[in-house]
Short mmCIF file of all heavy atoms in Angstrom, two decimals:
data_model
loop_
_atom_site.label_atom_id
_atom_site.label_comp_id
_atom_site.label_asym_id
_atom_site.label_seq_id
_atom_site.Cartn_x
_atom_site.Cartn_y
_atom_site.Cartn_z
N GLU A 64 -33.78 64.33 -12.02
CA GLU A 64 -35.18 64.61 -12.36
C GLU A 64 -35.91 64.98 -11.18
O GLU A 64 -35.69 64.35 -9.93
CB GLU A 64 -35.73 63.32 -12.95
CG GLU A 64 -35.55 63.25 -14.45
CD GLU A 64 -36.54 62.29 -15.15
OE1 GLU A 64 -37.62 62.01 -14.56
OE2 GLU A 64 -36.19 61.96 -16.29
N ILE A 65 -36.81 65.88 -11.30
CA ILE A 65 -37.78 66.28 -10.32
C ILE A 65 -39.29 66.11 -10.84
O ILE A 65 -39.42 66.57 -11.99
CB ILE A 65 -37.61 67.76 -9.90
CG1 ILE A 65 -36.28 68.07 -9.42
CG2 ILE A 65 -38.65 68.33 -8.97
CD1 ILE A 65 -35.94 67.98 -8.01
N PHE A 66 -40.15 65.48 -10.13
CA PHE A 66 -41.54 65.37 -10.56
C PHE A 66 -42.44 66.22 -9.61
O PHE A 66 -42.19 65.99 -8.48
CB PHE A 66 -41.94 63.96 -10.56
CG PHE A 66 -43.40 63.73 -11.13
CD1 PHE A 66 -43.67 63.50 -12.41
CD2 PHE A 66 -44.49 63.91 -10.20
CE1 PHE A 66 -44.90 63.31 -12.89
CE2 PHE A 66 -45.78 63.73 -10.65
CZ PHE A 66 -45.96 63.44 -12.01
N ALA A 67 -43.16 67.12 -10.21
CA ALA A 67 -43.96 68.02 -9.33
C ALA A 67 -45.36 68.04 -9.88
O ALA A 67 -45.69 67.59 -11.01
CB ALA A 67 -43.33 69.41 -9.38
N VAL A 68 -46.24 68.66 -9.11
CA VAL A 68 -47.65 68.70 -9.45
C VAL A 68 -48.17 70.14 -9.02
O VAL A 68 -47.83 70.61 -8.02
CB VAL A 68 -48.48 67.63 -8.79
CG1 VAL A 68 -48.53 67.69 -7.19
CG2 VAL A 68 -49.88 67.58 -9.26
N VAL A 69 -48.97 70.64 -9.90
CA VAL A 69 -49.68 71.96 -9.55
C VAL A 69 -51.15 71.49 -9.36
O VAL A 69 -51.75 71.03 -10.31
CB VAL A 69 -49.60 73.04 -10.74
CG1 VAL A 69 -50.23 74.29 -10.34
CG2 VAL A 69 -48.09 73.23 -11.10
N LEU A 70 -51.62 71.79 -8.25
CA LEU A 70 -53.08 71.39 -7.90
C LEU A 70 -53.87 72.64 -7.98
O LEU A 70 -53.54 73.67 -7.47
CB LEU A 70 -53.12 70.76 -6.48
CG LEU A 70 -52.30 69.40 -6.46
CD1 LEU A 70 -52.30 68.98 -4.91
CD2 LEU A 70 -52.91 68.36 -7.26
N LEU A 71 -55.02 72.49 -8.55
CA LEU A 71 -55.95 73.60 -8.85
C LEU A 71 -57.32 73.38 -8.42
O LEU A 71 -57.83 72.23 -8.28
CB LEU A 71 -56.06 73.81 -10.32
CG LEU A 71 -54.57 73.94 -11.07
CD1 LEU A 71 -54.80 73.82 -12.54
CD2 LEU A 71 -53.94 75.30 -10.76
N ASP A 72 -58.03 74.47 -8.21
CA ASP A 72 -59.51 74.32 -7.82
C ASP A 72 -60.31 74.38 -9.12
O ASP A 72 -59.76 74.40 -10.20
CB ASP A 72 -59.94 75.47 -6.68
CG ASP A 72 -59.92 76.84 -7.31
OD1 ASP A 72 -59.64 77.05 -8.57
OD2 ASP A 72 -59.98 77.71 -6.54
N ASN A 73 -61.55 74.50 -9.02
CA ASN A 73 -62.39 74.50 -10.14
C ASN A 73 -62.33 75.76 -11.08
O ASN A 73 -62.54 75.74 -12.31
CB ASN A 73 -64.00 74.50 -9.81
CG ASN A 73 -64.35 73.04 -9.57
OD1 ASN A 73 -63.81 72.16 -10.30
ND2 ASN A 73 -65.28 72.76 -8.53
N GLN A 74 -61.70 76.87 -10.54
CA GLN A 74 -61.46 78.10 -11.34
C GLN A 74 -60.10 78.20 -11.73
O GLN A 74 -59.63 79.21 -12.22
CB GLN A 74 -61.87 79.30 -10.54
CG GLN A 74 -63.38 79.50 -10.48
CD GLN A 74 -64.04 78.65 -9.38
OE1 GLN A 74 -63.52 78.42 -8.32
NE2 GLN A 74 -65.18 77.96 -9.75
N HIS A 75 -59.36 77.16 -11.66
CA HIS A 75 -57.94 77.01 -12.02
C HIS A 75 -57.06 77.93 -11.23
O HIS A 75 -56.03 78.44 -11.71
CB HIS A 75 -57.76 77.21 -13.51
CG HIS A 75 -58.28 76.11 -14.34
ND1 HIS A 75 -58.36 76.08 -15.65
CD2 HIS A 75 -59.00 74.92 -14.01
CE1 HIS A 75 -58.95 75.01 -16.23
NE2 HIS A 75 -59.33 74.30 -15.12
N ARG A 76 -57.45 78.19 -9.96
CA ARG A 76 -56.60 78.91 -8.97
C ARG A 76 -55.70 77.89 -8.34
O ARG A 76 -56.10 76.75 -8.11
CB ARG A 76 -57.43 79.64 -8.02
CG ARG A 76 -58.14 80.85 -8.47
CD ARG A 76 -58.87 81.57 -7.34
NE ARG A 76 -59.83 80.52 -6.78
CZ ARG A 76 -61.08 80.65 -6.55
NH1 ARG A 76 -61.68 81.90 -6.71
NH2 ARG A 76 -61.87 79.67 -5.88
N ILE A 77 -54.45 78.19 -8.21
CA ILE A 77 -53.47 77.31 -7.54
C ILE A 77 -53.82 77.09 -6.20
O ILE A 77 -53.96 78.06 -5.40
CB ILE A 77 -52.04 77.88 -7.78
CG1 ILE A 77 -51.76 78.00 -9.33
CG2 ILE A 77 -51.04 76.91 -6.96
CD1 ILE A 77 -50.35 78.56 -9.54
#
Side-chain angles (χ1 to χ4, degrees):
E64 272 202 22
I65 303 265
F66 183 92
V68 64
V69 181
L70 297 171
L71 309 163
D72 67 11
N73 277 324
Q74 285 77 45
H75 293 178
R76 289 181 302 228
I77 296 174

